[in-house]
């Protein structure tokens, strides 16, 4: 098989390896459904991500299915799966990624003293294990990545020795993870430089950098590694990932674009899709983006102070180092009102990155009109919330909210009257609660009894103003499985109830998948 990515990478080209679906999803609570993973993978592929790490196939049947489905459907990106250093993991990984046009196996083992103690291998035994497992992976696939986990705390001599073994065994990419987010930019660069200088065969392969953000240095460390010779950055949308997260894709990509004068490297990313990706990952994971987050935060391009506004009106460059439209934010986000037509809606959605067919447009148009009736001004963010709500609360969901009426006030308990359709049959009930959300949730529970534990309930205003839509995330845990439901509505209680029902729908899908009959099927 020929693979452009395995040919020597042009000196100024940096490959973007996105691990939102693997390292990002490992973030507690960020579990995603198969459909959500497919949606994210499609967008990553379209926006020009070079390698998508789609999951850890041996981890669960769900992970295996997701990696397989992503491998089957992705058009351009290399699809990578993660595997520990054993044949069973590697075989399972290959079984999933082999469906891709361009598959990659990523195998790893912890090489630092603390990590070596876990499998209880001495240095020689671990070296032997690396040789065997990378050779095995390479016999299956001609695109193999190897990672010495906790590389930044591994003795340099031993790191060089293991990297050399992995290269000799056939690894085509060597990833250097800063697993615990411990390194600093100068050290990150020195480590890559040292490996390039000392390891025989280093010039034949691509070095990658994989940084965690525990000390807030993940972006700086990744860029320093690139300056020292790494040509693959591992990152996630919004910096999602375990603990403080990973290097944020949007940060490294925009840093390389804006400061091309001092970092003359290019990526293949269409930066105008960044906001779309950020919103999608925030919604699906239920991890909102902090307002002042670089590039994708709500305030990243907001100029509130009088001095700033005055300067911006005279010349945008006074306070802006990049244009909002470069990351997919439109200069004006005011959309349309209730008199806007279908064609205008279709073209606005296309501008926001949504291609809709006639049937979907008809459905979205009805919802848009309902929203425009309730809300004077409909902004881009409102439309994005509406589109995400259409995706998450689908017409074929097993449980659907039909009617909700909540009575609340300062005196007396709050009451919710609710009608749900469960598998097409309507059930009505009423419940009293400690507040309107509690009453509504209790009503849902009386129709759909469940033991799921509420882990997170979160409300965000989509835009400013008293008539703003609220997006609500509800995270539930049942038997160790975690799902996040979302919904958006101008009525916060309606959005909350729909988000709760959305999470229950996801739990039902998971229950069916893990039922014994499903496993033997
Ligand atoms: O942080 C890390 O070390 C990892 C490896 C599996 C590459 O995610
Ligand atoms: Zn990691």
């Amino acid at each position: 098989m020929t693979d452009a990515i395995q040919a020597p990478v042009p000196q100024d080209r940096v490959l973007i390896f996105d691990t939102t679906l693997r390292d990002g999803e490992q973030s507690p609570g960020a579990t995603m459904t198969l459909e959500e993973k497919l949606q994210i993978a499609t967008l990553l592929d379209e926006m020009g991500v070079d390698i998508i790490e789609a999951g850890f196939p041996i981890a669960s049947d769900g992970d295996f299915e997701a990696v397989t489905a992503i491998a089957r459907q992705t058009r351009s990106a290399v699809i990578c799966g993660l595997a520990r250093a054993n044949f069973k993991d590697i075989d399972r990984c290959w079984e999933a990624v082999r469906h891709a046009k361009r598959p990659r196996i990523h195998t790893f083992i912890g090489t630092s003293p603390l990590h070596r103690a876990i499998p209880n291998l001495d240095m020689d035994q671990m070296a032997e294990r690396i040789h065997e497992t990378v050779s095995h992976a390479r016999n299956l696939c001609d695109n193999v990545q190897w990672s010495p986990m906790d590389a930044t705390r591994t003795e340099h001599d031993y790191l060089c020795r293991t990297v050399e073994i992995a290269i000799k065994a056939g690894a085509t990419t060597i990833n250097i993870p800063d697993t615990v987010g411990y390194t600093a930019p100068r050290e990150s660069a020195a480590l890559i430089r040292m490996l390039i200088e000392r390891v025989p065969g280093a010039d034949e392969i691509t070095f990658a950098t994989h940084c965690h953000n525990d000390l807030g240095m993940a972006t700086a460390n990744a860029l320093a590694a690139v300056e020292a010779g790494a040509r693959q950055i591992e990152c996630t949308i919004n910096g999602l990932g375990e603990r403080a997260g990973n290097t944020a894709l949007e940060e490294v990509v925009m840093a390389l674009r804006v400061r091309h004068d001092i970092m003359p490297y290019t990526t293949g990313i269409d930066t105008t899709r960044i906001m779309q990706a950020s919103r999608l990952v925030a919604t699906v994971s239920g991890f909102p983006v902090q307002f002042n987050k670089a590039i994708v935060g709500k305030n990243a391009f907001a100029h509130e102070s009088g001095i700033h506004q005055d300067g911006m009106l005279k010349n945008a460059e006074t306070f802006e180092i990049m244009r909002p439209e470069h990351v997919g934010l439109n200069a004006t986000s005011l959309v349309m009102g209730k008199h806007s037509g279908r064609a205008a809606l279709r073209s606005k959605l296309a501008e926001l990155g949504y291609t809709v067919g006639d049937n979907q447009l008809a459905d979205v148009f009805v919802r848009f009109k309902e929203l425009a009736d309730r809300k004077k001004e409909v902004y881009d963010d409102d439309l994005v919330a509406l589109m995400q709500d259409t995706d998450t609360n689908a017409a074929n969901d097993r449980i659907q909210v039909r009617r909700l009426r909540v009575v609340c006030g300062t005196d007396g308990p709050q009451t919710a009257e609710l009608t749900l359709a469960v598998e097409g049959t309507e059930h009505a009930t009423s419940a009293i609660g400690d507040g309107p959300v509690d009453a509504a949730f209790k009503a849902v529970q009386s129709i759909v009894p469940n033991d799921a534990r509420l882990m997170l309930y979160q409300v965000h205003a989509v835009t400013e103003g008293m008539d703003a839509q609220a997006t609500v995330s509800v995270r539930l845990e049942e038997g160790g499985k975690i799902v996040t439901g979302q919904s958006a509505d101008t009525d916060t209680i309606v959005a909350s109830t729909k988000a709760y029902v959305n999470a229950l729908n996801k739990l039902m899908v998971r229950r069916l998948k893990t039922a014994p009959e499903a496993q033997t099927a």
Side-chain angles (χ1 to χ4, degrees), residues 19 22-24 26 53 149 175 177-180 210-212 234 241-243 245-246:
T19 183
R22 199 278 297 167
D23 216 329
Q26 272 172 233
E53 188 162 52
M149 189 164 72
N175 175 39
D178 182 28
T179 306
V180 291
H210 176 112
C211 303
H212 281 267
E234 306 211 350
E242 285 201 88
R243 306 183 311 278
N246 289 60

Side-chain angles (χ1 to χ4, degrees), residues 240-298:
L240 191 69
E242 285 201 88
R243 306 183 311 278
N246 289 60
T247 300
L249 178 147
E250 62 277 8
E251 293 178 13
V252 283
V253 167
M254 288 312 289
L256 292 177
R257 175 172 172 166
V258 174
R259 295 312 311 273
H260 193 72
D261 54 333
I262 56 163
M263 294 181 284
Y265 311 102
T266 56
T267 71
I269 300 294
D270 172 1
T271 63
T272 65
R273 308 295 295 272
I274 282 178
M275 279 310 302
Q276 194 191 347
S278 167
R279 287 175 183 133
L280 178 62
V281 170
T283 308
V284 162
S285 64
F287 279 59
V289 175
Q290 79 194 48
F291 279 18
N292 59 337
K293 163 85 180 62
I295 319 293
V296 290
K298 217 179 174 82

Side-chain angles (χ1 to χ4, degrees), residues 255-446:
L256 292 177
R257 175 172 172 166
V258 174
R259 295 312 311 273
H260 193 72
D261 54 333
I262 56 163
M263 294 181 284
Y265 311 102
T266 56
T267 71
I269 300 294
D270 172 1
T271 63
T272 65
R273 308 295 295 272
I274 282 178
M275 279 310 302
Q276 194 191 347
S278 167
R279 287 175 183 133
L280 178 62
V281 170
T283 308
V284 162
S285 64
F287 279 59
V289 175
Q290 79 194 48
F291 279 18
N292 59 337
K293 163 85 180 62
I295 319 293
V296 290
K298 217 179 174 82
N299 290 355
F301 292 92
H303 298 274
E304 287 279 339
S305 95
I307 304 168
H308 282 208
Q309 280 178 353
D310 185 45
M312 288 292 294
L313 289 175
K314 290 184 180 125
N315 180 357
E317 282 182 24
T318 321
F319 287 104
E320 248 177 29
I321 56 167
M322 54 198 155
R323 301 292 309 145
E325 49 273 27
H326 292 165
V327 299
L329 265 180
N330 299 319
T332 158
S333 72
L334 182 60
V335 196
M336 302 160 286
K338 59 180 169 188
H339 300 297
S340 309
R342 271 167 210 257
L345 179 63
R346 192 199 289 268
S347 101
K348 188 73 208 178
L349 289 174
E351 210 181 284
L352 292 169
Y354 297 98
T355 315
V356 288
D358 290 344
N359 288 345
Q360 198 186 0
L361 181 68
D363 179 36
V364 174
F365 189 65
V366 172
R367 302 192 60 186
F368 162 69
K369 286 284 176 182
E370 282 167 10
L371 182 63
D373 271 339
R374 280 182 280 150
K375 204 174 177 298
K376 258 202 327 260
E377 292 160 329
V378 178
Y379 294 87
D380 285 3
D381 284 347
D382 286 317
L383 280 184
V384 170
L386 191 145
M387 288 305 288
Q388 285 168 346
D389 195 55
T390 312
D391 277 343
T392 46
N393 296 287
N396 55 0
D397 280 348
R398 287 157 177 271
I399 317 169
Q400 298 189 4
V401 177
R402 287 283 154 83
R403 273 178 299 281
L404 175 67
R405 193 167 167 273
V406 177
V407 180
C408 46
T410 49
D411 46 356
Q414 280 70 31
T415 321
E417 290 167 19
L418 174 73
T419 306
L420 294 182
V422 182
E423 314 270 9
T425 308
E426 289 202 356
H427 301 263
T429 192
S430 68
I432 290 172
D434 191 6
V437 175
D438 188 46
F441 282 19
K442 284 198 170 121
V444 174
Q445 281 158 1
S446 87

Side-chain angles (χ1 to χ4, degrees), residues 37-47 52 73-74:
K37 287 182 183 178
L38 279 168
Q39 223 185 328
I40 292 176
T42 305
L43 179 52
L44 295 175
D45 192 31
E46 284 173 8
M47 72 192 275
I52 298 173
Q73 83 156 27
T74 304

Side-chain angles (χ1 to χ4, degrees), residues 1 3 6 77-80 94 97-105 141-144:
M1 183 182 49
D3 189 333
Q6 282 185 258
V78 169
I79 299 303
C80 175
W94 175 239
V97 296
R98 73 188 170 86
H99 303 283
K101 288 198 183 81
R102 303 160 78 203
R104 174 181 290 188
I105 296 174
C141 180
D142 62 3
N143 190 335
V144 172

